Amino acid sequence: MYFNENTILYFNNEFVKATEAKTGLFDQSLHYGYAVFEGLRSYATESGTKIFKPVEHFERLKFSCDSVGIPLAYNTQQMIDISYEVLAKNNLEDAYLRPLVFCPPNMSLQKASSSFLMITAWSWGAYLGDKLIRVMTSSFQRPNPKGFKIHAKISGHYVNSIMACQEAKDNGFDEALLLDINGNAAEGPGANLFIEKDGKLFTPPSTFILPGITRATVIEICAAIGIAVEEKTFTVDEIKNADSAFYCGTAAEIIGWQSIDDYVFPIAWDQSIGKIIQSAYKAKVLEQAFKLG
Ligand code: PMP
């Protein structure tokens, strides 16, 4: 699914076959989750293959490295150029790109003095599918910002995401909603949350979440088409009094919620603000004009 015998990826200053790229069992990243990554999408637009918001993603990658002391030997433009080459070498247009920065053998708990950059890509449908999702309030909270650099995209943080996602699946749901350390709604295992109430959107402030690039894009879209949106802390009980809700993220794009726990949202998705945002987002990534109505 992620690679085959023809896949070419970028690893450590060269383009190599995925089947021939090797790393070590003593890498610090493998033992301690001490690595950072990104997830980007490219789209087949009328003017060719375009990666959506690559500068924002690679600047976040750099920020994530800086947050935990991982040196990164590449600048944003170099990583964008490499990404386009990976797409071209694999004949990919609509694709998901995965840059990963990881650290060489080291069993100590000191920061790394060098790192490896890997960039690969594959075709990937919408991460949470294209049907409305049934969400479960997780028993897992997002990591405490006093214990982790939660605004950085660190590999080890995703153990929290895996536990929450699996708990939801084990209980017959499609996806989890994690709360913050105060018990308020935070975000999904890999996506940000918006709810609709009385014609307005609300999203949790960035304090306890990874504030996504898609979340920022949704806020931009709202400004452009005149939809009111507010960053505000809210509880699960308030979600259960909302009209509709959706998750957003690079991999998931915009995906509507059918329900949370046993509460089904009263507004049909096609009538929701989320549906308008979903169409506007699609137009934006494809570099097409979007008109309301
Ligand atoms: N929250 C978490 C925990 C994530 O992993 C992601 C995916 N990177 C997001 C939110 C959405 O971020 P983005 O829109 O930048 O992909």
Side-chain angles (χ1 to χ4, degrees):
M1 181 184 175
Y2 306 112
F3 68 96
N4 60 34
E5 61 282 4
N6 299 317
T7 304
I8 304 287
L9 53 75
Y10 181 87
F11 178 43
N12 231 12
N13 304 320
E14 52 181 2
F15 292 94
V16 290
K17 280 190 147 193
T19 50
E20 286 166 15
K22 287 196 172 45
T23 183
L25 290 176
F26 292 83
D27 289 355
Q28 198 181 16
S29 300
L30 185 61
H31 290 252
Y32 305 133
Y34 183 57
V36 315
F37 69 101
E38 266 306 317
L40 305 86
R41 271 190 190 275
S42 64
Y43 294 90
T45 76
E46 275 177 15
S47 49
T49 304
K50 292 286 178 68
I51 299 172
F52 187 62
K53 298 205 168 173
V55 172
E56 287 83 344
H57 280 281
F58 284 114
E59 283 182 356
R60 186 170 66 188
L61 187 76
K62 174 77 183 128
F63 165 81
S64 298
C65 285
D66 289 346
S67 301
V68 290
I70 296 178
L72 178 62
Y74 297 81
N75 66 35
T76 293
Q77 192 55 50
Q78 286 168 327
M79 293 186 284
I80 294 174
D81 293 345
I82 294 166
S83 299
Y84 275 107
E85 256 186 276
V86 168
L87 292 173
K89 286 187 191 300
N90 293 285
N91 296 314
L92 288 166
E93 293 184 325
D94 287 302
Y96 179 82
L97 289 128
R98 168 55 57 84
L100 173 72
V101 182
F102 63 102
C103 303
N106 182 0
M107 292 299 109
S108 86
L109 297 178
Q110 290 166 38
K111 69 180 186 183
S113 52
S114 65
S115 70
F116 305 114
L117 171 68
M118 191 274 282
I119 301 184
T120 190
W122 61 86
S123 296
W124 219 20
Y127 171 67
L128 293 169
D130 51 13
K131 293 195 182 63
L132 297 185
I133 55 170
R134 297 170 52 250
V135 177
M136 175 190 152
T137 305
S138 184
S139 67
F140 296 99
Q141 294 179 342
R142 290 297 289 158
N144 187 331
K146 289 187 175 161
F148 295 90
K149 301 278 187 170
I150 61 158
H151 290 167
K153 213 167 154 55
I154 315 292
S155 296
H157 295 181
Y158 284 79
V159 178
N160 172 254
S161 297
I162 290 171
M163 292 191 297
C165 178
Q166 191 58 50
E167 180 191 43
K169 303 259 182 209
D170 288 345
N171 283 280
F173 290 86
D174 300 312
E175 188 54 296
L177 167 70
L178 292 99
L179 307 184
D180 66 23
I181 54 167
N182 301 317
N184 294 308
E187 62 180 332
N192 292 123
L193 165 67
F194 283 81
I195 61 171
E196 169 183 354
K197 180 68 181 172
D198 298 334
K200 188 171 171 185
L201 291 182
F202 298 89
T203 192
S206 57
T207 327
F208 297 110
I209 61 169
L210 183 84
I213 291 161
T214 318
R215 173 182 178 275
T217 307
V218 169
I219 294 170
E220 262 171 43
I221 290 172
C222 287
I225 62 180
I227 291 169
V229 56
E230 192 185 326
E231 294 186 51
K232 182 181 171 292
T233 301
F234 51 84
T235 62
V236 172
D237 280 347
E238 286 173 274
I239 302 180
K240 292 181 180 173
N241 189 31
D243 299 326
S244 75
F246 62 90
Y247 267 157
C248 68
T250 300
E253 301 177 308
I254 310 291
I255 182 72
W257 287 19
Q258 181 187 308
S259 57
I260 173 147
D261 304 329
D262 54 6
Y263 175 80
V264 178
F265 290 94
I267 294 193
W269 176 247
D270 279 351
Q271 308 300 319
S272 71
I273 296 177
K275 171 71 184 185
I276 299 170
I277 301 289
Q278 189 178 47
S279 306
Y281 184 76
K282 193 92 241 176
K284 201 171 177 79
V285 297
L286 293 174
E287 301 186 342
Q288 293 168 351
F290 176 77
K291 271 204 233 90
L292 258 184

